[in-house]
Amino acid sequence: MSEFEYRTTTEDLSAENLGEGFFDEWSNPPDPETHLKILENSDHVVLAVYDDEVVGFITALSDGILSAFITLLEVLPDYQGRGIGQSLMNQIMEEIGEIYMVDLVCDANLSRFYAELGFATTTGMSRRDYRMQSGRSN
Ligand SMILES: CC(C)(COP(=O)(O)OP(=O)(O)OC[C@H]1O[C@@H](n2cnc3c(N)ncnc32)[C@H](O)[C@@H]1OP(=O)(O)O)[C@@H](O)C(=O)NCCC(=O)NCCS
């Protein structure tokens, strides 16, 4: 029988459980091994898992006192539009716990998605070094 579950740990997770299709539209995406390291190294992670395959994930970094940053959120295209993204957001907020500030960066077309979850539009600044986008130095 097919099984869908959310997990807040990377225990027992391997790169083989991270299916093709993540980092959609990234020109130089991390490979599954690097993706696994990103999940393991994050302070908080929530995974949406279907039959042992990760179909969605969210990560956050936190100082545990004042501030947290939601770093990555993605749901595989076949699983989008079913409430998984919203549920991952709600669960990572629970994992982060009560804290003064939670920030993230997103494209303008997603501001409604995050506004529904209590986030307000602000001015942000970001810097990207695309040579490093895969998480490897080459
Ligand atoms: C953004 C993303 C995580 C949403 O995941 P999802 O599982 O499809 O979202 P949900 O099904 O929980 O949608 C919740 C609500 O947000 C809306 N929404 C979802 N994606 C949206 C989008 N791209 N633009 C506008 N609204 C969106 C849905 O319509 C839904 O609204 P409703 O409750 O009124 O129907 C997913 O589209 C995705 O992985 N996109 C590619 C990667 C990305 O952009 N990540 C975010 C980086 S900041």
Side-chain angles (χ1 to χ4, degrees):
M1 205 173 82
S2 304
E3 219 172 281
F4 181 82
E5 60 176 342
Y6 289 102
R7 293 185 198 163
T8 54
T9 171
T10 54
E11 231 174 76
D12 299 328
L13 188 71
S14 73
E16 287 84 59
N17 303 123
L18 296 164
E20 297 279 309
F22 283 116
F23 303 100
D24 193 31
E25 293 185 22
W26 286 40
S27 53
N28 186 18
D31 61 23
E33 285 74 24
T34 311
H35 188 181
L36 180 62
K37 278 190 204 138
I38 292 167
L39 300 175
E40 289 172 342
N41 287 359
S42 296
D43 293 313
H44 303 289
V45 61
V46 185
L47 308 170
V49 184
Y50 185 75
D51 276 351
D52 273 336
E53 283 283 307
V54 175
V55 299
F57 74 98
I58 187 164
T59 49
L61 304 178
S62 173
D63 61 22
I65 301 168
L66 275 194
S67 51
F69 198 94
I70 292 173
T71 41
L72 294 167
L73 165 65
E74 189 166 3
V75 175
L76 289 178
D78 282 354
Y79 293 84
Q80 289 177 12
R82 306 179 189 187
I84 296 174
Q86 196 169 44
S87 186
L88 288 171
M89 275 297 293
N90 283 325
Q91 291 184 65
I92 202 95
M93 292 302 288
E94 262 182 47
E95 292 297 310
I96 290 168
E98 288 190 342
I99 201 163
Y100 170 58
M101 52 193 270
V102 180
D103 293 345
L104 58 85
V105 173
C106 72
D107 290 342
N109 68 321
L110 279 175
S111 51
R112 232 190 62 224
F113 173 78
Y114 291 113
E116 290 284 332
L117 293 152
F119 285 72
T121 302
T122 186
T123 303
M125 303 287 285
S126 69
R127 210 180 78 155
R128 302 284 184 266
D129 181 346
Y130 286 96
R131 290 173 312 147
M132 304 299 290
Q133 196 187 44
S134 69
R136 287 158 281 147
S137 52
N138 51 10

